[in-house]
Amino acid sequence: MPHTEGHTEQSIESNIAAAREKTEKLRQSILAKAFSGQLVETEAEIARREGRDYETAEILLERIKEERGKGGKKR
């Protein structure tokens, strides 16, 4: 079956559309991983690897509240 110019154009356009769809799916997947912290080490993981203590934000805020309660407000 000989290829006509129109058939080739359709094939190219179809390939481009498929590539765009795959690209968008990949983009969404990367964003989902980025927002869930799966692309880089967390600060807690880095601290553990380096043998340092790591204080979560929740614990830090609680400690700040306690310190402010003892010494009055520091603003």
Side-chain angles (χ1 to χ4, degrees), residues 9-74:
E9 274 183 42
Q10 279 183 321
S11 178
I12 291 170
E13 288 174 6
S14 175
N15 286 344
I16 289 171
R20 283 187 175 145
E21 188 176 327
K22 286 179 183 177
T23 301
E24 182 58 25
K25 286 181 181 177
L26 178 60
R27 181 179 164 276
Q28 292 299 321
S29 175
I30 290 170
L31 284 172
K33 286 183 179 288
F35 280 102
S36 65
Q38 296 177 19
L39 296 182
V40 295
E41 283 184 295
T42 64
E43 183 61 30
E45 291 168 331
I46 293 169
R48 269 195 300 276
R49 187 187 60 202
E50 294 176 349
R52 299 186 279 119
D53 288 334
Y54 176 74
E55 189 172 57
T56 65
E58 185 177 349
I59 293 171
L60 173 62
L61 287 173
E62 194 57 40
R63 185 170 54 82
I64 290 170
K65 286 178 188 177
E66 288 175 11
E67 289 175 4
R68 283 188 176 171
K70 290 178 185 172
K73 297 203 187 258
K74 297 178 182 177

